[in-house]
Amino acid sequence: MKLPVIKHLTQFIEDNDQDYIIETIEVLEHLTEIETLKDEELDVLGELISNLYGALEVHKMIKDGKDKKTALNDFMQRVLGSIDK
């Protein structure tokens, strides 16, 4: 996951609507079902999907009252904490 990408996607959600992100996730997940995809292509799709889900999580935290910077930092700390386990 890349914080600048998640930050950019979070801004997109604020400017538009989270439904665009949800629909994009659905399309990308559907693409992962193509049997002829190479591992590298699946990795790219997975990274995109992870960043999109991350942006939705950050957006939810913002809606729940956190400021954007705190929400982004808290999310990344949670991600890094789960990697360390």
Side-chain angles (χ1 to χ4, degrees), residues 58-70:
V58 170
H59 178 68
K60 183 181 181 307
M61 286 187 242
I62 293 169
K63 280 179 40 179
D64 290 343
K66 288 189 179 183
D67 65 273
K68 185 189 278 189
K69 183 177 181 179
T70 302

Side-chain angles (χ1 to χ4, degrees), residues 48-59:
L48 290 170
I49 292 168
S50 294
N51 287 320
L52 290 163
Y53 273 120
L56 289 175
E57 285 292 317
V58 170
H59 178 68

Side-chain angles (χ1 to χ4, degrees), residues 8-68:
H8 192 72
L9 289 168
T10 302
Q11 185 62 51
F12 179 87
I13 294 170
E14 290 175 9
D15 294 344
N16 297 282
D17 192 297
Q18 75 177 13
D19 290 342
Y20 290 109
I21 301 298
I22 293 168
E23 290 169 357
T24 301
I25 290 170
E26 290 171 0
V27 170
L28 293 175
E29 286 178 342
H30 183 72
L31 285 174
T32 63
E33 297 170 8
I34 299 172
E35 294 178 13
T36 58
L37 285 179
K38 298 176 184 170
D39 288 342
E40 302 85 36
E41 294 166 327
L42 282 172
D43 289 345
V44 170
L45 288 171
E47 182 71 20
L48 290 170
I49 292 168
S50 294
N51 287 320
L52 290 163
Y53 273 120
L56 289 175
E57 285 292 317
V58 170
H59 178 68
K60 183 181 181 307
M61 286 187 242
I62 293 169
K63 280 179 40 179
D64 290 343
K66 288 189 179 183
D67 65 273
K68 185 189 278 189

